[in-house]
Amino acid sequence: MSIPRYAVIGHPVAHSLSPRIHAAFGRQLSIALDYSAIDTAAEEFDMTLGAFAASGGVGANVTLPHKQRAARACATLSERARRAGAVNTLTLRGGEWHGDNTDGAGLVRDLTGRHGLDLRARRTLLIGAGGAARGVAPALLDAGIGDLYIVNRTSERADALADALGQPGRVHPRYLADLKQFGEFDLVINATSATRTDGLPDLPMSLVGARTAAVDLSYGEVAIPFLAWARAAGAHDAIGGLGMLVEQAAESFALWHGVRPDTDPVYAHLVEHRASLVTAD
């Protein structure tokens, strides 16, 4: 009997810790699996996904920049993937792909469980409106945050995400250039990939108060500029995305294998080796 094939698909993706994380989960639960990283450009995503299925692939995680394209490639979507308009977990069912999104559940579980944050009624700023932001926004609203402000370099994407979330009295798209007018937030989340290329947006320190938790959905070197800004601004908490990565991976693992692994030992092992972490899923 062949070992089921799984993968993380992105561009770039060689840095990804997902193969290491899923291998650790498999060892923990004595589940044999083959999990690899597949790098593919945006225009080749559908062809790559088809080739992966033809070679025995039964499940995949999807990372930058393919999460919204993955949603369009699916025959069916879970409710949370439909709300997000983005997919980070694919499962082959009857020869067709089913899409889900575990990013939001992973983030909330990390912030509330591992870091002990009470998210209820927190005035929240979400920086970015791409696949990562779309994955976490619905779960944050469900977790009880207060008003959600969304800013993005391209304001049309912020408007589109706000419209998709469908809570006009609670979700507010705004211009990135107007950040200095916003006042303090209880929760600031960086969901951009800007630090990969042209640097972190110019963020005023007035966004941060004594209670503020600042969270970067990236991990490793990519998260350093935002977390450094947060600490310099006096944020109460400055949290990288490693914990979220492990938790969303555990949610995907449970969807594929029917059992949720213990994330704490895997997270602890990765923290011990955090000097070798490079970038973000």
Side-chain angles (χ1 to χ4, degrees), residues 21-22 25 61 80 88-89 102-115 241-254 260-268 270:
I21 291 169
H22 281 270
F25 290 161
N61 290 123
R80 55 189 178 183
N88 83 324
T89 305
T102 66
D103 281 338
L107 176 63
V108 170
R109 191 177 182 105
D110 180 55
L111 295 182
T112 59
R114 181 167 292 111
H115 297 284
L242 181 60
M244 171 190 167
L245 176 68
V246 175
E247 296 300 333
Q248 65 81 22
E251 295 286 332
S252 296
F253 192 95
R260 196 181 197 280
D262 182 359
T263 57
D264 286 341
V266 177
Y267 175 77
L270 293 175

Side-chain angles (χ1 to χ4, degrees), residues 189-209:
I189 298 177
N190 181 29
T192 74
S193 58
T195 48
R196 288 178 181 272
T197 53
D198 54 357
L200 188 70
D202 184 18
L203 303 177
M205 291 189 176
S206 58
L207 298 173
V208 174

Side-chain angles (χ1 to χ4, degrees), residues 257-279:
H257 304 289
V259 57
R260 196 181 197 280
D262 182 359
T263 57
D264 286 341
V266 177
Y267 175 77
H269 174 73
L270 293 175
V271 168
E272 289 176 1
H273 294 82
R274 63 185 179 276
S276 66
L277 305 187
V278 178
T279 186

Side-chain angles (χ1 to χ4, degrees), residues 12 17 26 36 43-44 86 93 122 132 138 145 152 160 169 189 198 216 229 264:
L17 292 175
S36 60
E43 62 273 16
E44 298 175 351
R93 296 179 179 175
R122 284 187 182 246
I145 63 167
N152 191 67
I189 298 177
D198 54 357
D216 200 312
W229 166 82
D264 286 341

Side-chain angles (χ1 to χ4, degrees), residues 103-247:
D103 281 338
L107 176 63
V108 170
R109 191 177 182 105
D110 180 55
L111 295 182
T112 59
R114 181 167 292 111
H115 297 284
L117 297 185
D118 185 350
L119 298 180
R120 292 174 295 179
R122 284 187 182 246
R123 186 173 188 255
T124 299
L125 174 65
L126 181 61
I127 306 167
R134 284 178 167 270
V136 302
L140 289 168
L141 292 169
D142 291 348
I145 63 167
D147 283 5
L148 175 64
Y149 291 76
I150 304 170
V151 296
N152 191 67
R153 290 187 187 277
T154 305
S155 60
E156 290 81 4
R157 296 189 78 181
D159 292 337
L161 176 52
D163 289 344
L165 293 171
Q167 299 189 40
R170 188 180 175 198
V171 178
H172 316 280
R174 292 290 188 266
Y175 292 107
L176 188 63
D178 295 336
L179 278 176
K180 291 181 180 179
Q181 304 174 20
F182 291 177
E184 293 181 3
F185 288 88
D186 303 308
L187 181 62
V188 179
I189 298 177
N190 181 29
T192 74
S193 58
T195 48
R196 288 178 181 272
T197 53
D198 54 357
L200 188 70
D202 184 18
L203 303 177
M205 291 189 176
S206 58
L207 298 173
V208 174
R211 182 176 181 256
T212 304
V215 180
D216 200 312
L217 301 189
S218 299
Y219 60 88
E221 290 184 359
V222 172
I224 289 174
F226 176 79
L227 297 180
W229 166 82
R231 294 186 183 102
H236 188 275
D237 302 279
I239 301 169
L242 181 60
M244 171 190 167
L245 176 68
V246 175
E247 296 300 333

